[in-house]
Amino acid sequence: MAGDSSRMFVGLDFSTQQLKLLAINEELEVVKEEAVRFDTDVPGSTTQGGVHIQEDKVTVTTPTLLWVEALDILLAKLKASDFPFSKVAAISGSGQQHGSVYWKQGARQTLSSLQPNKTYSEQLGDAFSVSHSPIWMDASTTRQCKQLEHKVGGPTKLADITGARAYERHTGNQIAKLYQQNPEAYKNTERISLVSSFGASLFIGDYAPVDYSDGSGMNLLDIRTRDWSDVCLDACAPGLREKLGDSVPSNQVLGTVSSYLHNRYGFPKDCKVVAFTGDNPGSLAGLAPKREDVIVSLGTSDTVFLWLETPTPKLEGSIFVNPVLTSDYMALLCFKNGSLTRERIRDEKSGGSWTTFGQQLKSTPMGNSGNIGIYFDVTEIQPLVQGVFRFSENGQQVDSFPDDVEVRAVIEGQCMSRRIHAENLGFDIGPKTRVIATGGASSNPGILQVIADVFNAPVYIKDVANSAALGCAYRAKHGVLGEGVAFSQVVATCQEPVCAAQPTPGADQVYTALCQRYSELENMVEMQHGKS
């Protein structure tokens, strides 16, 4: 194994479909990878894609014990491969955001007195007051969302406090549903964890606090004070502050590994456990961004990560406390119409060829001679609209564009949408701004050039496999080095992203005006076709 002589830092990711582990050495090189897939690697699992979708199609859960069993299997795999547990200096991790775990009364005592001759799952089988954890895919709490927004003073007020309006997947609304529909289970709950803090709890042998960054995805944490909002807590369920425990900075060392892990697997007694966080904050850390960066992930859905110093929450996207610099913030915007929309236009207008698509893109001028297209093949998130809308240079809606115009229209429209909604959340494009592109379409030079032109910023490419687990391994090392060391110093030796596109001269003049027009047209489309 490479780096045998050095300390190791472990990052875990309890994602939707698998539990992933990465270990890195002092030089940040990955020296070990291991994974357990929930559907296929856990005996007796009945999940599909790591989840159970109930008959109503909106209730989506995962058996809490499945995550426990997966950790048992993962650790057993490591032991069988002679993994050097004794060299692990620190551990951190992430979990799928918005999932929640309900520990029953007395579970803390069980957790703190685990016997090393038995597995986790043998001892924690009766530790939960709710056996199936609601996760981010759950959409069964619309009623509770409306109640929360009403009690707090409206969706804008809630977003200003917590970084987002009420979303069905957010934990506060899930807790409110449990309290309303199963008050006995709520009463029998001693502690409520997120998937992330649940994972950390298994490593320290005690209830782990929720970190600021993942806690920002609950509709419960005041993102400015970094404390639970009493008005939000009271709107969801009684006695909730006690059941949630404290919230802590994402870089806080929670303590050392439990005696259970030391005795059963040989982790060092002084192996530190750094607060676990959400998978999206973990991925931000894995990409090792700088303060002025914007990250654009180009996949089935397009996701935009923003590093913000001053947040301006709106009724779109989510703002979290930044996981690597807790005085700052990160924002997350997700757009459903990503690669599938681009591929549809490629198939219809470019004969299914990306080469032809790229040639058409290059043959058309920046700004597309004033033609603008808005492409929402499926109902978009912001705005909540479905349909395709084309506008000529004089603002008239038209039924079709020539093939080459259509190709540029879909890419420019998507890029302008990403920029506009990023700016809505407070992102300022400045002279130091870099766009870091990841995901499938980041290999397409024509698309990257349009991104550079629309954002008037250089585009770099950086594809990081398992970015959440890797980011948490970086965070583990950061925890060992201490608060006096900036995260940027920890990742200073990471491979720098590669510059793939520079803005074309004159792009700023073209797209400043065109983005304003696009924004006005998108607002008009939302007013005429939006879904409530």
Side-chain angles (χ1 to χ4, degrees):
M1 180 185 293
D4 262 356
S5 61
S6 63
R7 297 183 300 177
M8 294 167 56
F9 307 92
V10 165
L12 294 132
D13 180 33
F14 289 81
S15 69
T16 308
Q17 299 190 46
Q18 66 178 344
L19 170 58
K20 181 81 180 182
L21 174 142
L22 283 182
I24 61 172
N25 61 18
E26 294 276 14
E27 290 73 42
L28 309 186
E29 298 166 326
V30 175
V31 295
K32 181 67 175 179
E33 293 186 62
E34 195 59 80
V36 175
R37 295 191 67 83
F38 301 142
D39 291 359
T40 56
D41 296 343
V42 179
S45 172
T46 59
T47 57
Q48 291 186 315
V51 307
H52 287 148
I53 300 176
Q54 308 302 324
E55 288 185 12
D56 63 8
K57 304 298 184 187
V58 293
T59 303
V60 185
T61 61
T62 295
T64 308
L65 265 177
L66 184 66
W67 297 323
V68 180
E69 292 164 343
L71 182 57
D72 281 329
I73 295 168
L74 181 80
L75 292 170
K77 278 184 164 188
L78 292 175
K79 192 171 185 178
S81 69
D82 293 324
F83 179 76
F85 291 101
S86 62
K87 293 182 179 176
V88 179
I91 299 166
S92 190
S94 63
Q96 54 172 296
Q97 292 204 257
H98 316 299
S100 46
V101 173
Y102 301 82
W103 300 89
K104 75 187 304 184
Q105 296 291 339
R108 185 176 202 167
Q109 176 61 33
T110 305
L111 188 59
S112 63
S113 56
L114 297 174
Q115 300 303 305
N117 61 334
K118 296 181 180 179
T119 63
Y120 277 117
S121 50
E122 286 174 317
Q123 301 177 80
L124 294 175
D126 193 37
F128 308 106
S129 56
V130 175
S131 61
H132 287 69
S133 291
I135 65 160
W136 64 273
M137 295 169 67
D138 187 277
S140 66
T141 62
T142 303
R143 178 168 165 247
Q144 287 76 25
C145 288
K146 290 178 179 177
Q147 290 171 346
L148 176 60
E149 290 183 344
H150 175 72
K151 290 176 181 177
V152 169
T156 301
K157 177 66 174 175
L158 182 64
D160 191 55
I161 297 170
T162 70
R165 68 175 307 163
Y167 288 118
E168 280 82 357
R169 63 187 179 275
H170 281 198
T171 320
N173 307 300
Q174 296 289 343
I175 293 169
K177 177 190 171 186
L178 176 67
Y179 170 67
Q180 292 171 18
Q181 297 187 2
N182 194 347
E184 197 58 38
Y186 180 79
K187 182 181 178 182
N188 195 31
T189 298
E190 184 173 79
R191 177 61 66 98
I192 300 171
S193 295
L194 298 180
V195 178
S196 57
S197 60
F198 162 74
S201 300
L202 296 175
F203 277 86
I204 64 172
D206 196 0
Y207 293 148
V210 171
D211 82 293
Y212 293 162
S213 195
D214 205 9
S216 307
M218 300 172 71
N219 280 140
L220 293 176
L221 189 82
D222 186 319
I223 60 171
R224 292 178 176 83
T225 66
R226 273 78 167 166
D227 188 18
W228 305 118
S229 162
D230 285 323
V231 66
C232 295
L233 295 176
D234 294 344
C236 289
L240 189 47
R241 180 178 284 271
E242 185 179 359
K243 293 183 189 293
L244 291 173
D246 294 331
S247 55
V248 298
S250 305
N251 59 358
Q252 181 154 318
V253 176
L254 304 180
T256 55
V257 294
S258 66
S259 60
Y260 171 81
L261 286 170
H262 169 69
N263 292 325
R264 184 173 175 87
Y265 296 104
F267 283 98
K269 286 185 176 180
D270 61 352
C271 175
K272 291 181 170 60
V273 179
V274 178
F276 284 29
T277 191
D279 54 356
N280 288 306
S283 290
L284 182 87
L287 288 161
K290 298 176 181 176
R291 189 175 233 169
E292 298 85 2
D293 290 346
V294 52
I295 298 165
V296 180
S297 178
L298 300 163
T300 303
S301 294
D302 286 350
T303 307
V304 177
F305 295 91
L306 310 167
W307 186 310
L308 302 174
E309 293 181 60
T310 304
T312 55
K314 295 287 193 298
L315 299 183
E316 59 180 289
S318 298
I319 294 178
F320 308 103
V321 177
N322 193 297
V324 298
L325 184 61
T326 54
S327 60
D328 283 8
Y329 299 85
M330 66 168 277
L332 177 67
L333 287 159
C334 187
F335 301 85
K336 286 184 181 178
N337 293 276
S339 63
L340 298 182
T341 302
R342 292 187 285 271
E343 289 165 10
R344 177 181 67 80
I345 299 297
R346 176 205 62 190
D347 293 344
E348 293 178 1
K349 306 298 180 181
S350 311
S353 165
W354 281 122
T355 301
T356 304
F357 187 96
Q359 291 168 346
Q360 292 167 310
L361 200 53
K362 198 170 184 178
S363 72
T364 47
M366 284 191 302
N368 215 6
S369 302
N371 295 294
I372 290 177
I374 299 174
Y375 298 83
F376 300 145
D377 288 4
V378 297
T379 302
E380 192 46 87
I381 299 170
Q382 56 265 323
L384 208 61
V385 176
Q386 181 176 5
V388 175
F389 310 91
R390 301 175 185 86
F391 300 91
S392 66
E393 70 279 3
N394 58 14
Q396 297 298 308
Q397 191 163 352
V398 296
D399 293 330
S400 63
F401 285 146
D403 290 354
D404 56 346
V405 173
E406 186 97 84
V407 163
R408 177 165 282 275
V410 69
I411 301 302
E412 283 191 343
Q414 288 183 333
C415 292
M416 288 191 289
S417 173
R418 308 318 179 238
R419 172 180 164 175
I420 289 161
H421 290 285
E423 289 176 334
N424 285 348
L425 287 179
F427 186 78
D428 291 320
I429 297 173
K432 293 184 178 180
T433 297
R434 300 186 306 175
V435 179
I436 299 176
T438 70
S442 65
S443 62
N444 188 305
I447 292 175
L448 297 182
Q449 186 60 56
V450 176
I451 295 174
D453 292 341
V454 170
F455 278 82
N456 192 39
V459 174
Y460 293 74
I461 51 175
K462 185 173 186 177
D463 266 330
V464 176
N466 306 304
S467 57
L470 181 62
C472 290
Y474 294 160
R475 294 175 54 251
K477 183 173 183 180
H478 189 206
V480 168
L481 295 177
E483 292 185 10
V485 177
F487 184 78
S488 58
Q489 290 177 252
V490 178
V491 296
T493 59
C494 284
Q495 186 175 354
E496 279 290 306
V498 177
C499 187
Q502 290 281 355
T504 305
D508 191 30
Q509 289 83 354
V510 171
Y511 288 109
T512 297
L514 205 64
C515 282
Q516 179 63 36
R517 269 193 63 212
Y518 180 95
S519 180
E520 292 167 359
L521 290 170
E522 191 182 83
N523 289 338
M524 182 185 76
V525 164
E526 182 177 22
M527 288 181 63
Q528 294 177 352
H529 303 277
K531 302 176 181 182
S532 58

